[in-house]
Amino acid sequence: MKTETKWIILGILTTGCQTGYEIKNLMDASFQHFWKMSYGQIYPALKVLVEEGYATQSVVRTEGAPEKKQYTITLTGRRMLHRWLETPIHDTSVVKNELLVKLFFGTEMTRHQAVAHLEEQAELLQAKLDVYEQIEANICNNDESEFWMYTLNYGKEIAQAELLWCQKTKGEIKCKSE
Amino acid sequence: MKTETKWIILGILTTGCQTGYEIKNLMDASFQHFWKMSYGQIYPALKVLVEEGYATQSVVRTEGAPEKKQYTITLTGRRMLHRWLETPIHDTSVVKNELLVKLFFGTEMTRHQAVAHLEEQAELLQAKLDVYEQIEANICNNDESEFWMYTLNYGKEIAQAELLWCQKTKGEIKCKSE
DNA sequence: GGGCACATGTAAATCGTTACATGATTTC
DNA sequence: GAAATCATGTAACGATTTACATGTGCCC
């Protein structure tokens, strides 16, 4: 079990999410632009956290609802989380950018093709930006959302920069073909 | 074998690199900011490419140098590469940003800690930018480097945007603590 | 002789995704 | 009664990293 996965799940337990399902929802809603996880990672990680004493599990049976397993972070768990949060960030960045890879091999395609890729990417980025704007419009800017806002800002600003680069590069590629 | 890995190796074969070792070197020198690969992927991929008829292998024995295996892309290989280059880019982005994750859990650390992370990151970004500048200064701007330059520009502009965000966020975090 | 650059490769372990299995309740 | 949402989980597969094994030739 990669340690980061475990600590991130543990961290999410401090945000009000208590079940695997809720964790996955939070991931998809607020986290997906900087980290992704599947059920195949979440449920086993929760199990491990309980085994190690960093979280406790309780089964909740509500009438008129499916049974669910609530997880709560323990004191030891919180201490370990803080320890992880304090440690310096090592470059985990597993970057895979297919657009840049294909563009790198630009001499093997037509300029028209390269431009088409950039245009498609620009559209996707614009859509991403629109989503971010919508999210921002829908949250009340309270104390609890402070740190989330920083990560959202990151997403917005990087997408913006990517969009600008797309436009600029498109222009340069067209320019050179004349 | 993930198809992308194979096509990327095949693409690199068109850039003048002919051995696994050279491919790895190119990767580390020009590619590392948007895709990474280890020998454990490169050598098996080369083997597969030969098996599928997309590349040929020849063993070269030079006096006073270790034996090496040169790979050359075949006509079929080039045709398949072009086909891959033409296909639309699907979002492969496997983003893992530990800084954003830790910042997301900002309420679980001191503001001082959060700022420290941002400062450390800013330094790393500045170092990255310096490396990019140096690379740019050392290459002659000929036709062959055109597409590589675009990917380098991407790296520079995104790093720049990240740096700005670091600075801005640092300010906001400090501001709120007073 | 030590260290470095060149050069190739694999096995094991780890990590992560996908697809599947299951089943309750609610809404249309 | 169909579809959507809530809810949990795993097995198989695929991808990737890490560590190891091996050897040459050159320079100090």
Side-chain angles (χ1 to χ4, degrees):
Chain A
M1 165 89 37
K2 197 163 186 185
T3 46
E4 278 120 40
T5 304
K6 219 171 65 181
W7 301 133
I8 293 171
I9 302 278
L10 196 57
I12 295 179
L13 250 29
T14 70
T15 66
C17 294
Q18 295 207 282
T19 71
Y21 189 75
E22 283 167 4
I23 289 169
K24 175 72 171 137
N25 281 352
L26 179 74
M27 276 276 165
D28 292 344
S30 318
F31 237 77
Q32 95 286 27
H33 68 289
F34 54 90
W35 209 285
K36 284 169 189 167
M37 267 186 217
S38 59
Y39 284 126
Q41 287 174 274
I42 295 169
Y43 285 114
L46 285 168
K47 208 170 151 187
V48 170
L49 286 171
V50 172
E51 277 163 19
E52 292 179 346
Y54 301 157
T56 55
Q57 189 205 63
S58 59
V59 179
V60 178
R61 284 189 197 79
T62 317
E63 276 182 64
E67 180 180 299
K68 61 180 169 178
K69 295 183 179 169
Q70 276 188 348
Y71 294 85
T72 310
I73 190 168
T74 62
L75 272 176
T76 320
R78 204 173 281 265
R79 206 154 48 224
M80 294 308 278
L81 175 64
H82 292 170
R83 193 175 295 176
W84 176 68
L85 286 172
E86 277 167 26
T87 57
I89 287 138
H90 39 264
D91 196 17
T92 5
S93 63
V94 188
V95 190
K96 296 197 176 223
N97 191 322
E98 200 179 312
L99 175 67
L100 292 191
V101 170
K102 288 192 173 171
L103 198 61
F104 188 88
F105 302 128
T107 50
E108 292 293 319
M109 43 177 165
T110 63
R111 277 169 190 270
H112 175 262
Q113 252 308 324
V115 169
H117 280 318
L118 286 168
E119 272 167 0
E120 207 185 315
Q121 244 1 248
E123 265 177 55
L124 290 175
L125 286 167
Q126 190 54 62
K128 215 188 214 180
L129 277 172
D130 293 345
V131 170
Y132 290 154
E133 296 290 353
Q134 269 204 317
I135 290 173
E136 205 176 359
N138 286 334
I139 54 167
C140 40
N141 209 322
N142 57 12
D143 279 356
E144 270 169 46
S145 64
E146 180 190 349
F147 291 97
W148 183 37
M149 281 302 298
Y150 298 144
T151 68
L152 193 60
N153 281 340
Y154 178 93
K156 276 169 57 186
E157 262 149 66
I158 299 309
Q160 197 65 254
E162 283 181 297
L163 195 55
L164 281 173
W165 170 84
C166 273
Q167 246 90 62
K168 202 185 80 178
T169 306
K170 217 172 73 182
E172 285 175 30
I173 289 177
K174 279 182 179 168
C175 180
K176 290 230 180 187
S177 66
E178 279 151 21
Chain B
M1 164 92 35
K2 195 162 187 186
T3 46
E4 278 120 40
T5 305
K6 220 173 62 180
W7 301 132
I8 294 171
I9 301 278
L10 196 57
I12 295 179
L13 250 30
T14 71
T15 66
C17 294
Q18 295 207 281
T19 71
Y21 189 75
E22 282 167 5
I23 289 169
K24 176 72 172 137
N25 280 353
L26 179 75
M27 275 276 165
D28 292 344
S30 318
F31 238 77
Q32 94 286 28
H33 66 291
F34 54 91
W35 209 286
K36 284 169 190 169
M37 267 186 216
S38 59
Y39 284 127
Q41 287 173 275
I42 294 168
Y43 285 114
L46 285 169
K47 209 170 151 188
V48 170
L49 285 171
V50 172
E51 277 163 19
E52 293 178 346
Y54 301 157
T56 55
Q57 188 204 66
S58 60
V59 179
V60 177
R61 285 188 196 80
T62 315
E63 276 182 65
E67 180 180 298
K68 61 179 168 178
K69 295 182 180 171
Q70 276 187 346
Y71 294 86
T72 311
I73 189 168
T74 61
L75 272 176
T76 321
R78 205 173 280 264
R79 207 155 46 225
M80 295 307 278
L81 175 64
H82 292 170
R83 193 174 295 176
W84 176 68
L85 286 173
E86 277 166 25
T87 57
I89 288 138
H90 39 266
D91 195 18
T92 4
S93 61
V94 188
V95 190
K96 297 198 175 220
N97 190 322
E98 199 178 314
L99 174 66
L100 292 190
V101 170
K102 288 192 173 171
L103 197 61
F104 188 88
F105 301 128
T107 50
E108 292 293 319
M109 44 177 163
T110 63
R111 278 171 189 271
H112 175 262
Q113 252 307 324
V115 169
H117 281 318
L118 286 166
E119 273 167 0
E120 208 185 314
Q121 247 357 252
E123 265 177 56
L124 289 175
L125 285 167
Q126 190 54 62
K128 216 189 213 179
L129 277 171
D130 292 344
V131 170
Y132 290 154
E133 297 289 352
Q134 269 204 315
I135 289 173
E136 207 176 358
N138 285 335
I139 56 167
C140 40
N141 209 321
N142 57 11
D143 279 356
E144 269 169 47
S145 64
E146 181 191 348
F147 291 96
W148 183 37
M149 281 302 298
Y150 298 144
T151 69
L152 193 60
N153 281 341
Y154 178 94
K156 275 170 59 187
E157 263 150 65
I158 300 308
Q160 196 65 255
E162 283 182 297
L163 195 54
L164 281 174
W165 171 85
C166 273
Q167 246 92 61
K168 203 185 77 176
T169 306
K170 217 173 73 182
E172 286 176 30
I173 290 177
K174 278 181 179 169
C175 180
K176 289 232 181 186
S177 67
E178 277 152 21

